[in-house]
Amino acid sequence: QVTLRESGPALVKPTQTLTLTCTFSGFSLSTSSMCVSWIRQPPGKALEWLAIIDWDDDKYYSSSLKTRLTISKDTSKNQVVLTMTNMAPVDTATYFCARSSRCTAGRAFDDWGQGTLLTVSS
Amino acid sequence: SYDLTQPPSVSVSPGQAARITCSGDDLGRKNVCWYQQKPGQSPILVMYQDNHRPSGIPERFSGANSGDTATLTISGTQSMDEADYYCQAWDSSAFVVFGGGTRLTVL
């Protein structure tokens, strides 16, 4: 059974750096065609993709946010970490991590974490 | 950049077919997937690679993708299908792209 769990602060101040951790089980991120992504959803709004890391350590970022994002993985700990710099109130959202087992064919996300709500406020 | 466009809302009567579209430039050449999201819940994958249903997704869900438009069809729509639906594709320059979402209302 695949599970993913997001962890991180519930509140950050503007200009601070956010660090989110996705801890997963039930699969290995060193297996070919696996990848893990971060996706966010502001309250009442649509899903917004942020970043993705592949089994072979290829990384891809949203063009609108790439200067602020860094994604990394620790295969031994079954974790994927996302850092986002210079946080602002517009970054208030639920942040999800999600897994795809089809990262060579469309990258549909089979499994999602429950999400973690982040508020950016002074 | 690459954009996927969905209608904001679709309404359907119980038992009727609901069709939700997703439009993008030459979308038929890309693998499209669909997610269902109910209030307060995480999205669930209901269709991948245009027309493949994950295990556990009812047969009333089907998908198609051709030209510039992908379509998710729910045959015999039930009240439990009321939710937000998002399409998603992979683009070689924009990478992962989500549509803006469609709220399906079962009247």
Side-chain angles (χ1 to χ4, degrees):
Chain A
Q1 182 190 1
V2 171
T3 64
L4 304 104
R5 186 183 76 251
E6 306 88 351
S7 57
L11 177 67
V12 298
K13 290 179 167 49
T15 75
Q16 287 187 332
T17 293
L18 169 70
T19 298
L20 293 172
T21 300
C22 176
T23 303
F24 57 85
S25 63
F27 69 97
S28 171
L29 197 41
S30 59
T31 300
S32 180
S33 295
M34 290 290 180
C35 54
V36 172
S37 187
W38 285 95
I39 298 142
R40 71 180 180 181
Q41 186 172 38
K45 295 190 176 181
L47 300 171
E48 178 185 17
W49 174 70
L50 300 177
I52 195 166
I53 188 164
D54 290 353
W55 78 99
D56 59 2
D57 213 36
D58 279 347
K59 301 163 189 173
Y60 303 91
Y61 296 99
S62 163
S63 58
S64 62
L65 292 168
K66 64 181 179 180
T67 61
R68 300 173 53 203
L69 296 174
T70 302
I71 192 169
S72 62
K73 62 182 173 73
D74 186 330
T75 305
S76 65
K77 292 184 179 179
N78 282 351
Q79 291 182 333
V80 171
V81 175
L82 181 76
T83 61
M84 182 181 294
T85 61
N86 195 26
M87 297 296 288
V90 295
D91 297 314
T92 293
T94 296
Y95 287 74
F96 296 99
C97 63
R99 173 200 80 131
S100 175
S101 59
R102 303 179 183 86
C103 298
T104 55
R107 299 171 187 265
F109 299 112
D110 313 83
D111 303 284
W112 294 64
Q114 64 184 17
T116 184
L117 177 61
L118 172 75
T119 301
V120 183
S121 174
S122 55
Chain B
S1 67
Y2 187 81
D3 296 320
L4 294 176
T5 301
Q6 298 181 236
S9 63
V10 168
S11 297
V12 65
S13 300
Q16 299 300 110
R19 293 178 181 82
I20 301 171
T21 59
C22 174
S23 298
D25 186 43
D26 217 12
L27 186 58
R29 292 181 176 270
K30 306 180 189 299
N31 285 311
V32 174
C33 61
W34 293 88
Y35 303 93
Q36 176 194 72
Q37 186 181 32
K38 296 182 179 180
Q41 298 183 16
S42 302
I44 295 171
L45 181 68
V46 297
M47 198 67 55
Y48 66 94
Q49 288 176 219
D50 299 341
N51 55 14
H52 292 74
R53 272 181 295 106
S55 174
I57 301 303
E59 290 185 8
R60 63 179 181 274
F61 287 83
S62 63
N65 184 20
S66 178
D68 291 339
T69 304
T71 304
L72 177 70
T73 301
I74 309 172
S75 305
T77 308
Q78 301 181 11
S79 58
M80 69 174 65
D81 300 326
E82 190 163 281
D84 293 330
Y85 290 84
Y86 294 90
C87 60
Q88 180 229 308
W90 171 268
D91 175 76
S92 59
S93 59
F95 311 130
V96 177
V97 182
F98 284 100
T102 298
R103 176 149 297 176
L104 177 66
T105 302
V106 183
L107 298 169

